[in-house]
């Protein structure tokens, strides 16, 4: 039996490809309409990952690159659930993050911002969701950094997130922002998103119930992937 296809994406929530106020979109945005293709078998199945693909401390960015001590910065936990549009947890899916350090600098040869590189912080982590779709990371809160979009633009503190889901059609790459950051409303990249509800879903609220006293704060970030349609099997609908 062929697996059911996924729901159509709601394009009204997505930024248009060409957004001139986000200047680098001008040169890399397509000028022709997208093709509308039915999902192939390779797109609605796989990939799969197992615990043999990750290290036990891959989700602890405070420890997974440390050489001579802990990294500098505000220690935080980022946690939540990966769900589909039907509200079901997505188990055993790979979640990856990458981020700048507490000073706002990435460990990348092309990052020339004047903030120092932290010798104990790599800025990358990954984990698998549990049977209920739950995940968590321990890290340091990234700093804001300047970028030459206009003369004096600054990116709000953010963490990049990649989620594979149960099939390539669910693959999502996004960014997580932090509740209360005044730079969110001033960011040209955030401003490309046409629906405020979509922006709100990118902002992780402070979660003191998940914080560790005298250690770290916590932020809750649920991630919603595309839902899968029901499929007719032996005269009954399955999947939803």
């Amino acid at each position: 039996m062929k697996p059911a296809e996924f729901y159509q994406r709601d394009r009204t929530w997505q930024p248009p490809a060409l957004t001139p106020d986000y200047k680098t979109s001008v040169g890399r945005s397509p000028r022709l309409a997208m093709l509308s293709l039915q999902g192939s078998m390779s797109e609605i199945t796989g990939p799969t990952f197992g615990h043999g693909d990750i290290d036990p401390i891959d989700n602890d960015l405070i420890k997974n690159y440390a050489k001579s001590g802990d990294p500098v910065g505000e220690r935080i936990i980022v946690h939540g659930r990966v769900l589909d549009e039907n509200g079901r947890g997505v188990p055993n899916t790979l979640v990856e993050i990458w981020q700048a350090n507490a000073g706002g600098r990435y460990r990348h040869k092309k990052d020339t911002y004047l903030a120092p590189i932290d010798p104990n912080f790599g800025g990358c982590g990954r984990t698998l969701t549990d049977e209920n779709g739950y995940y968590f990371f321990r890290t340091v809160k990234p700093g804001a950094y300047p970028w030459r979009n206009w003369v004096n633009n600054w990116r709000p503190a953010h963490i990049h997130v990649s989620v594979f889901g149960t099939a390539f059609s669910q693959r999502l790459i996004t960014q997580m922002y932090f509740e209360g950051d005044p730079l969110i409303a001033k960011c040209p990249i955030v401003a490309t998103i046409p629906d405020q509800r979509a922006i709100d879903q990118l902002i992780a609220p402070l979660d003191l119930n998940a914080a560790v006293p005298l250690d770290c704060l916590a932020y809750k970030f649920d991630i919603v992937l595309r839902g899968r349609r029901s499929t007719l099997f032996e005269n009954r609908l399955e999947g939803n």
Side-chain angles (χ1 to χ4, degrees), residues 158-174:
H158 62 279
I159 295 176
H160 300 265
V161 182
S162 165
V163 185
F164 274 89
T166 60
F168 283 112
S169 290
Q170 281 186 313
R171 180 76 194 282
L172 176 68
I173 299 175
T174 188

Side-chain angles (χ1 to χ4, degrees), residues 9 13-15 82 94-98 158-165 167-177 189 193 202 221 223-226:
R9 282 193 173 92
W13 278 50
Q14 305 293 325
V82 177
L94 183 66
V95 182
E96 299 173 300
I97 65 171
W98 64 99
H158 62 279
I159 295 176
H160 300 265
V161 182
S162 165
V163 185
F164 274 89
F168 283 112
S169 290
Q170 281 186 313
R171 180 76 194 282
L172 176 68
I173 299 175
T174 188
Q175 295 183 15
M176 186 201 93
Y177 301 95
I189 296 179
I193 301 172
L202 300 179
F221 189 60
I223 302 165
V224 181
L225 305 180
R226 293 172 71 181

Side-chain angles (χ1 to χ4, degrees), residues 209-222:
N209 288 334
V212 179
L214 304 180
D215 186 324
C216 61
L217 292 174
Y219 292 85
K220 190 173 189 295
F221 189 60
D222 289 337

